[in-house]
Amino acid sequence: MPKLKTHRGAAKRFSLTAKGKVKRSKAFASHILTKKTTKRKRGLRKSALVDSANYKEIKRLIPYL
């Protein structure tokens, strides 16, 4: 069976933790920031883990990361 190709768009958006969980950045932090509170913007800076509902699909896109 041939090697799987990594989905390059997904590779730029997701990374793996040491235990193999998938890390992602939060959305809604790039523009229209004036109406968002400082507390909300500060929270958007932090990374988050991919939800268990989407984990299997994302892992398939990034098999070798």
Side-chain angles (χ1 to χ4, degrees), residues 2-63:
K3 287 191 217 172
L4 298 170
K5 286 200 172 189
T6 298
H7 188 289
R8 297 314 298 165
K12 292 166 190 172
R13 288 171 172 81
F14 301 102
S15 61
L16 294 179
T17 62
K19 291 197 173 185
K21 295 176 183 177
V22 183
K23 195 166 64 168
R24 66 171 177 88
S25 56
K26 294 189 179 174
F28 308 109
S30 58
H31 64 111
I32 315 176
L33 297 170
T34 50
K35 63 176 83 170
K36 295 169 189 163
T37 64
T38 309
K39 183 180 178 181
R40 182 174 165 192
K41 288 186 281 191
R42 190 165 58 244
L44 290 173
R45 273 188 233 135
K46 298 172 183 173
S47 59
L49 294 176
V50 168
D51 195 68
S52 58
N54 306 314
Y55 177 80
K56 193 175 176 182
E57 193 175 357
I58 300 299
K59 279 291 277 188
R60 194 176 293 138
L61 295 174
I62 49 170

